[in-house]
Amino acid sequence: MTTKTPEQLVSVYGDMVYRLAYAQTRSRHDADDIFQEVFLQTVRKRPVFDSVEHEKAWLLRVTLNCLKSHWRMAWRRHDTPLDDRIPFPEPEDSALDEALRRLTPKYRTAVHLFYCEGYTAEEIARMSGEKPSTIRTRLTRARAQLRELMKGELDDGFSQAVPRHE
């Protein structure tokens, strides 16, 4: 059994939690809120973990649940766009970032956990409560959508960069 202080958990897993939150929300403020909520729940619940893998999976599961709650909030359904007259500098985004942003959250989550965090489809399935075949299907469909969205943006090198099969 492993027991780490909340500070140690933030030190070890903080970047991973923040990256997932930011990848899903594309907002520093929302990612900060989700990050804080994840580690606040860690303080409240004081979980005892069987292993390092259990610790990591628990934090990812809490992050995914916080993201679901975030998207269900009533105020999110009533967003109004910023006035075009207000200058707001946008960060430089690549065509791939734009394509990833256009994926649905379930596809974006699968792609992020698979490619950025290095989880297998089976591990993602255990964390999300889905079947491994569902995760593999999401990855396949996400790659197909990315190929379509990126068509014409990059040369043929992208076709080899996004694999067709696992």
Side-chain angles (χ1 to χ4, degrees), residues 123-134:
E123 291 168 328
I124 297 168
R126 276 196 305 275
M127 282 185 264
S128 63
E130 304 281 350
K131 294 180 183 177
S133 60
T134 301

Side-chain angles (χ1 to χ4, degrees), residues 41-60:
Q41 284 190 29
T42 304
V43 170
R44 283 185 193 135
K45 296 187 185 210
R46 296 184 194 138
V48 176
F49 302 109
D50 298 333
S51 64
V52 173
E53 292 81 23
H54 179 222
E55 193 173 74
K56 188 175 182 181
W58 188 87
L59 285 165
L60 284 171

Side-chain angles (χ1 to χ4, degrees), residues 22-34:
Y22 184 78
Q24 292 302 304
T25 62
R26 292 291 180 192
S27 162
R28 285 189 204 140
H29 300 291
D30 291 340
D32 287 341
D33 289 345
I34 290 165

